[in-house]
Amino acid sequence: MANIINFSDAASIGLHSMILIAKSDKPLNAIELSKQLGNSKHHIGKVLQRLVKDGLLSSYRGPTGGFTISVDPKEVTLYEVYESIEGKSNIKLCSFDSHFCPTDKCIRKNLIKRLSDEFISYMTSQKLSDYL
């Protein structure tokens, strides 16, 4: 059976890693996060570098290095983390280039727009600190 809502592995890794890193009193590296999350350390490293690039995390090299949070968890929404991983939202309402609908009401526009708006609204209402 197909998933109705698809949440990428990268987005899941990013959100869970941000929570674990924010909870930690020391830097966490990709190997430690890999053990906790059950994902490849290489995939985790790639995802976390996107979060570093967007200023949500800081990274440190060396034997005591790893990732630390660089933002206040009370100020960051889950949507900001999600968007850092997935990019800006691009809600494609119609799959037909001609925008032809055989009815007066577009099924995709009504449903996809509403569900996308609800997802964004929910994710922006949730702060990272709500999960610590």
Side-chain angles (χ1 to χ4, degrees):
M1 178 181 233
N3 290 331
I4 301 292
I5 305 273
N6 189 12
F7 209 85
S8 75
D9 284 343
S12 184
I13 288 168
L15 288 164
H16 286 93
S17 293
M18 285 288 291
I19 293 165
L20 290 171
I21 292 167
K23 282 182 164 185
S24 180
D25 56 349
K26 66 179 181 79
L28 294 178
N29 63 39
I31 295 168
E32 293 166 319
L33 289 165
S34 174
K35 290 175 185 172
Q36 291 185 51
L37 298 175
N39 289 92
S40 155
K41 68 179 180 180
H42 300 292
H43 194 191
I44 290 171
K46 285 176 96 172
V47 169
L48 297 186
Q49 285 306 319
R50 287 189 225 167
L51 297 168
V52 168
K53 182 181 168 217
D54 286 342
L56 298 170
L57 293 176
S58 296
S59 63
Y60 302 95
R61 294 186 180 270
T64 59
F67 296 90
T68 59
I69 192 152
S70 14
V71 291
D72 182 350
K74 294 177 188 154
E75 301 297 321
V76 176
T77 67
L78 295 187
Y79 189 68
E80 290 173 272
V81 177
Y82 179 85
E83 200 171 48
S84 176
I85 303 301
E86 297 293 340
K88 299 282 182 196
S89 295
N90 181 16
I91 303 165
K92 187 173 181 185
L93 298 178
C94 188
S95 59
F96 299 112
D97 291 333
S98 65
H99 300 288
F100 168 78
C101 285
T103 67
D104 292 338
K105 209 165 145 174
C106 181
I107 297 165
R108 286 184 57 114
K109 182 178 179 184
N110 294 333
L111 181 62
I112 292 172
K113 172 101 173 80
R114 185 175 56 104
L115 292 176
S116 297
D117 288 346
E118 284 181 30
F119 174 77
I120 291 169
S121 177
Y122 176 79
M123 294 293 279
T124 55
S125 75
Q126 301 295 299
K127 301 288 186 186
L128 189 58
S129 60
D130 297 335
Y131 295 84
L132 302 181

